[in-house]
Structure formats: structure tokens, C-alpha cells
Amino acid sequence: MRIQDHPVLGPLPPTPTVTFTFDGVPVQALEGECLAAALWASGIRILRHSFSGRQPRGMYCGVGHCYECRVTVNGVRDRRACLTPVVAGMDVRSQPPDLLEEARPAVGGPVAEGRKPEAAGGADGS
Amino acid sequence: MEVDLAVVGAGPAGLAAAREVARRGATVAVFDEHPVTGGRLRCQLHPAGRGWSSGRPKAEELAEAARAAGARLLTETSVWGLFPRNGRGHGGRPGPGPGGWVLQCTGWHTGPVTARTVLVATGATEGALPVPGWTLPGVITAGAAQVLANVHRVLPGRRVLVVGLDPLGVAVARSLALAGAEVVGVAQAPPGPASGRRGVPARALADLAGSVAGGSLLPPPLRLAARGLAREGLAGFALRRLPARPVKRWGIPFYLRQAVTELRGTGQVTEARLEPVSPDGRLADGKTLWLVVDAVCLSGGLHPLIELVAAAGARLACVPELGGRVPVTGPDFQTTLEGVYVAGGAAGVEGADVAAAQGTLAGLAIAETLGRISRAEAGGLKQRARLAVKLARRQAPITFHPRIHAGLRRLRACWHET
């Protein structure tokens, strides 16, 4: 469901692809895009199951406000898929409904190792 | 980290302010949760005149100008707290810290940042339109659809339903059709108090007709009457006379007399129920429709994102014309907290060009506060910047709330009371 040719924005610029895994299954992504977009483009919309009612949940607001798209990235839980850029080889896992009952590991700090933020001279990432 | 100005939010308002302050030699850091700068401007694609206006080039230009002026842009960094530096926290009277402010951050930059002045340019957030089934994967906000389609170039769905008759909903429906989706309809928001004005079709239609772009967004039978329709009574009158079938415009059916009352699916949304609704927002007799969909975009309206500045203790006012609760601001976008400013969507929901112009004005005021420009020089520059805000407002390709001028007058009155 990629928009290859857009009447106003033009053709999709050539972008290198990278591979990460979602629940162990390899997923292709465009370099620099966020997890939520890469998963949606691959037809994966269920990102976790809710604690109450065990209902499927996926991306909702797309801009980091609602926390509906939280996933476990390289062992760190509750990363927002809509704000987390894909890095090759990333291990992404959907969050099971009983996650709340587990001990909470230390949170915080970047998970995208090997990337530099913009201010440190990295590319814009667009 | 210690800076003269910390900006929260790298959208048009934050970037424009950072540029103005950094180019006058002050140290400026801009923080944003997103990996890429530009805020929502980057994903905007609005009908403008006979063509379309894309926000991306403007967003890149603003970021480049801020960077070239010497501002540090720190992406993937969340600012979660704003505290006065002198240690008077929640218990004491919130107020001016003689030593400035401390921002608490997490992400690429983790830990405290001290700043002499702060600009909160956090933008807006989308309101909810709760309806049974809205937590199903595949149900997203109108803004999320914009990000997917216009930034990531991912089509939200092949058969998309847009819910909520407002400027953003209509613009998103049109941009999705442009991108190749079949927009199966734009339907009224579910009736009930949770939908606010959107839950009452006559009000939704009047608000849409009253917005600057409203006339051009309306389907043709109503377009010529846009001015009159901006009054709720007349909008209701027109709705009652419309046929039950949808009005078609740009190939998109507008279900002006039907509201979405349920979304269904297993694992993801596949069906939407539309029921007849009266102009005053009650379910009416008539045929129930089921639409087959693979994505639903809810447009619940935009509200200023003000938690950071509200928790720091800034005085707020409820101004529905600006999107809800906003910080009380003075003519330079200063808040009631000394050294703390707001601009852009957080100061009242308007378009990106208005936000950038407001950011420029706030930046000049901050440069003056920091002693980087003389009072005399600042006076002239700010006067020009104020005119630029007014001009941007007049030329805005899209407005999100009607009666913005009345709201602004009320906000200024609140400022003079403080």
C-alpha cells in the first residue's frame, strides 16, 4: 500500500530498504521511516493486545500523543511505534495483555543504537 | 545543558522563533519528540485555490534557517516537565524563577536543561470521537492519515471512511482520494456529548461554512450558500431539505444526514454503520447503512496541547474559538509565567503560516528580553511581525475554528485582567 506515484508530491524517492523483525517475522522498511508506518505498509496493524478485554490495538494518532502503538523494541517496552525510526536488525515485539503484571524494566534512553541525533551532525532522517 | 532559550516543539512556530533568537547570538536549543523536524507542517497537503499546498518544503526551509542561525535541533527528545529554577515547585506560588527555568527531558538528550527563557510551541492535539469499535486497528485519526499518506507515503486504506464534518476531515478525505484511496464517504460524527459540536450536524455544517476555507470545502448544492449556512438555524434548515442520499463532490459521497454509530471487525475494522441523524444531533428514522471499509479516519477537531505550560502554573482561559483551553497570553505571546512564551497551535489552533508568524514575533520578544536587541529596535520589528501574523491569518488556506477574531479579543481581555 505504498503510494508510488503521487499527483502532487511526485514519485516516491528511491530510498534504501532495511529489514527488522516483528514478533520474529522479517519486515521490510524504508530507511528512516517509523515502525508504525513500516508495519502498516506491510499489512500489520495489530501492535499489541489490551490489558482489559485483551482486545487488539494498533496505531491511532500517529504523532506520539495517544500511546496506543506501544511495542517492545530490543527488549525495551512501551516504545511508541509512531515515533521510533526503524533500524536494520531491530527486534520489535507486540506487547501481550499480561505485560502489566511483569516487573517493569528500566525505561528511558535511546534504543536506536548506532544512530546520531540531528544536532550531532546526523542527517535529517527524512 | 544551559541555554538562553529552550524551545519545545520543532514545528513552524518553534523553528521560526529559534531562528530569530539564534541569529542574534543567543544560545538556543529546540527539542522535539519526533525523529524529524517540521512538526505537522511537514505532513500538510491542503487544497489551495485550484491546486494543492504542500507543507514539506516550507518545513525544511524553516529547519534549515534555524540551524543556519546556530540553533541546536534535538530530535527524539521528549520534554516532560517545566520547573522554575529557584526551586519553588508545585507547592509554592508558581512564578518567575530569577534563575530561569529547568526542563526535564528524556530520549536522545536525557536530564535537565536550564534555560533563561522558554518557548512552548507544542502545537495541537486531536480530539476524540468515541464510537463503539473505535479501538479496532485500522481506525486512526485524521492527522494520522495525513502522516501516513503524505510523509510516509503509505495509503491508510483502499476503502476509507472519514468521520467528522470539519475542515481537517474534508481536507484529509480529499488528500486521500488524491493519493489513490477510494473514500467511501465523509459522515457526521456519532451523536452524543462526547462528540461536542461535531455531534450536532447543523452546528458542524455551520462551523464548516464559517471557516475561511469552508466555502470551497462544501459540496456544491451548499457552496453558494456558504455565508448563510454559517448560521446554525439556516444550516439546520438546509440539512432538513437535503435528500437522504449522500451529496457527491470530488467523487466523495458526503453523508450530511447520516452519522457513524458503530465500527466493526475482527482484528481490524471492516464495516461501519451509518444511521440517519437529525440536524440537532438525534438519531432519526430511516434506513441504516453498512459500509465496507478497511480504514476509518476520525476527525475530532484540534485542541491546543498545553500540558507542559499548564502544569508549570501558567494561567489558562477557555476560548472555544481557539480550540479550547489556552494559556493567557499578552501581545508578545508571553504567558503569566515570567520568561515563558507560547506560540503556534499551543496558543490557539490556527494554520501553519500563522504559527510561523507568531513564532517570529515571540522570538523577537524573547531576543529583547535576553538583551539581544534594544527596546527601540524591538518595537519596530515586533510591530512588523504583528502585521505579518494578521496577514497570514487573512491568507490562511485553512482555518480550524470559526470566529477566531472573537476568541482572540476575549483572550486579550483575559490578559489585561491579570
Side-chain angles (χ1 to χ4, degrees), chain B residues 389-406:
Chain B
V389 173
K390 282 186 185 151
L391 190 66
R393 185 170 289 135
R394 201 173 307 149
Q395 295 176 341
I398 190 164
T399 55
F400 299 99
H401 296 276
R403 296 174 298 276
I404 201 107
H405 289 99

Side-chain angles (χ1 to χ4, degrees), chain B residues 48-74:
Chain B
R50 288 177 174 276
W52 292 79
S53 147
S54 164
R56 187 173 176 148
K58 286 186 221 163
E60 280 166 2
E61 205 175 288
L62 281 163
E64 195 36 57
R67 206 179 281 128
R72 291 182 70 189
L73 308 184
L74 292 144

Side-chain angles (χ1 to χ4, degrees), chain A residues 5 10 12 25 27 58 60 67 71-72 104 106 113 115 118-119:
Chain A
D5 236 320
L12 188 64
V25 179
V27 179
Y60 171 70
Y67 285 74
V71 289
T72 299
R104 195 181 175 90
E113 273 160 34
R115 288 180 68 255
E118 229 172 285

Side-chain angles (χ1 to χ4, degrees), chain B residues 150-199:
Chain B
N150 303 340
V151 176
H152 298 296
R153 301 288 292 266
V154 176
L155 206 58
R158 294 192 196 285
R159 290 178 54 85
V160 186
L161 173 69
V162 176
V163 184
L165 186 76
D166 64 12
L168 185 61
V170 176
V172 165
R174 289 188 63 189
S175 68
L176 292 181
L178 182 78
E182 185 190 344
V183 180
V184 298
V186 176
Q188 298 281 5
S195 295
R197 293 182 66 85
R198 267 166 200 74

Side-chain angles (χ1 to χ4, degrees), chain B residues 4-363:
Chain B
D4 293 324
L5 167 65
V7 178
V8 187
L15 290 172
R19 177 197 64 208
E20 291 305 314
V21 178
R23 64 186 280 228
R24 292 178 169 86
T27 51
V28 179
V30 185
F31 301 93
D32 200 295
E33 287 192 318
H34 290 78
V36 183
T37 55
R40 301 280 61 77
L41 175 56
R42 181 172 279 271
C43 65
Q44 281 171 12
L45 190 60
H46 292 318
R50 288 177 174 276
W52 292 79
S53 147
S54 164
R56 187 173 176 148
K58 286 186 221 163
E60 280 166 2
E61 205 175 288
L62 281 163
E64 195 36 57
R67 206 179 281 128
R72 291 182 70 189
L73 308 184
L74 292 144
T75 50
E76 289 179 63
T77 299
S78 309
V79 177
W80 57 263
L82 176 60
F83 307 98
R85 198 187 179 182
N86 64 8
R88 279 184 300 170
H90 305 294
R93 268 172 59 144
W101 295 85
V102 177
L103 293 88
Q104 290 292 350
C105 306
T106 182
W108 275 111
H109 181 86
T110 296
V113 172
T114 56
R116 289 177 66 195
T117 55
V118 178
L119 173 69
V120 177
T122 41
T125 188
E126 292 192 76
L129 279 184
V131 59
W134 73 313
T135 55
L136 280 165
V139 182
I140 56 178
T141 66
Q146 276 191 316
V147 177
L148 272 182
N150 303 340
V151 176
H152 298 296
R153 301 288 292 266
V154 176
L155 206 58
R158 294 192 196 285
R159 290 178 54 85
V160 186
L161 173 69
V162 176
V163 184
L165 186 76
D166 64 12
L168 185 61
V170 176
V172 165
R174 289 188 63 189
S175 68
L176 292 181
L178 182 78
E182 185 190 344
V183 180
V184 298
V186 176
Q188 298 281 5
S195 295
R197 293 182 66 85
R198 267 166 200 74
V200 182
R203 275 184 204 155
L205 182 59
D207 287 353
L208 180 64
S211 72
V212 167
S216 61
L217 295 174
L218 287 174
L222 305 176
R223 202 172 176 186
L224 293 173
R227 203 175 284 258
L229 286 174
R231 287 153 66 188
E232 191 183 323
L234 286 174
F237 179 84
L239 282 172
R240 259 182 212 100
R241 264 137 200 89
L242 279 179
R245 65 171 189 277
V247 173
K248 216 157 183 187
R249 168 77 166 145
W250 309 294
I252 301 166
F254 282 77
Y255 291 90
L256 299 172
R257 298 193 54 183
Q258 284 88 6
V260 172
T261 52
E262 189 185 354
L263 302 170
R264 275 194 198 169
T266 312
Q268 72 164 49
V269 68
T270 50
E271 285 175 297
R273 183 171 69 189
L274 269 57
E275 288 190 75
V277 67
S278 68
D280 59 352
R282 284 173 305 174
L283 287 182
D285 293 335
K287 210 170 90 185
T288 294
L289 293 169
W290 284 94
L291 298 181
V292 176
V293 296
D294 61 357
V296 174
C297 303
L298 305 176
S299 187
L302 296 169
H303 309 294
L305 189 58
I306 56 163
E307 286 97 330
L308 197 61
V309 71
R315 202 178 152 212
L316 307 173
C318 187
V319 186
E321 296 89 344
L322 297 176
R325 284 201 311 159
V326 288
V328 172
T329 47
D332 290 347
F333 289 98
Q334 66 271 52
T335 66
T336 52
L337 304 174
E338 194 180 317
V340 178
Y341 296 72
V342 292
V349 176
E350 296 188 74
D353 295 334
V354 176
Q358 290 177 339
T360 303
L361 172 56

